Amino acid sequence: MNNTHSTAHWEQSVPSTLDVEHNKIAISDEQQAQLILRIKQLLKEQNAVLVAHYYTDPILQQLADETGGCVSDSLEMARFGKQSPAEKIIVAGVRFMGETAKILSPEKTVVVPELEANCSLDLGCSPEEFIPFCDAHPDRTVVVYANTSAQVKARADWVVTSGIATKVIEHLAKRGEKILWAPDRHLGKYIQSVTNADMLLWQGSCIVHDEFKADALLALKNKYPDALTLVHPESSYTVVEMADVVGSTTQLINAVKTMPNKTFIVATDNRIFYKMQQVAPDKQLIEAPTGGVGASCTMCAHCSWMAMNTLQGILKVLEQNINHIHVEEATRLKAYASTQRLLDFAASQ
Ligand code: 13P
Ligand code: SF4
């Protein structure tokens, strides 16, 4: 029960991770230390807090940790920003994460280091296409992944993140509800396989996780027979099927920490290795392959949009008071209802 939607119009303009990294201005260790010092000072002066995703540069993750901010998955980022007493939230991640913070905390100033940092799932599910699709299926409960625009969230009954999606769908299926799921077709298929729910799937995907290859992964698993394979559910279903653990970024980090194995093959953005190594320094982490027979990678296990977040970008938004996230109030109120439903459900678990 699938539908297809065109995504080609934005795909041409996505930068490769290599290009983004290459274009970064190289600075000395001393310059970096000075930048960090200045940012710390401005964070204090402006009562601001840095909220970073696990996929951002380790230097930003370290800065968020050291300054009382948070480094987490998208569910915790949303929660943290709302609960924090800070007046300004700097969201180092991608656009939808900034919008989610603003939806939940309209009274706070929410800024992002780079307004162009987007997400293929968000871009591949425009409100212009999505809203009529929902209108055509009025008998279905609309559940959208957090990786969507505020307008798409506003049309949804529920917003979910990968950390809690399966539980929410299980809950709805038990009540006999039929689901319209968007935008990630792989995550949708995975949830469908676990819950057996009646789900109509939007056909979006993550261009980073799409690059993990099942044939090359099988070869790697054979080479490391004792390794546990950890997979983020945005990966294709053939890769997910080969996993020992499927979960959100936080759930994968917890697996490295708690499982007795010494070696892990990890199919998600490789900047997560920083946190994994921090919580389990004695474990060996191996990147799942993004190349295989005849394949070459553009993202190469690191999201180019996440890579756009830099120390210089953070300093710029603090010094120049720019890159504010705005969400139109009528849209925000509707998006708030579907997002708050997620937080209430998570609190009840
Ligand atoms: P998590 O909620 O698991 O952090 O995922 C967000 C994301 O964008 C993964 O690609
Ligand atoms: Fe979006 Fe994929 Fe990047 Fe996550 S990794 S922000 S899902 S493009």
Side-chain angles (χ1 to χ4, degrees), residues 55 94 119-121 147 206 208 234 303 305-306:
Y55 294 169
V94 294
C119 168
S120 62
L121 289 167
N147 302 35
C206 161
V208 181
E234 288 167 11
C303 176
W305 288 298
M306 288 283 183

Side-chain angles (χ1 to χ4, degrees), residues 122-163:
D122 184 349
L123 289 167
C125 187
S126 72
E128 292 75 22
E129 282 183 294
F130 183 66
I131 293 169
F133 181 60
C134 295
D135 292 346
H137 300 281
D139 56 327
R140 289 181 179 268
T141 303
V142 178
V143 183
V144 302
Y145 196 27
N147 302 35
T148 45
S149 65
Q151 287 147 296
V152 165
K153 287 185 176 77
R155 180 59 183 82
D157 299 301
W158 287 79
V159 172
V160 297
T161 62
S162 59

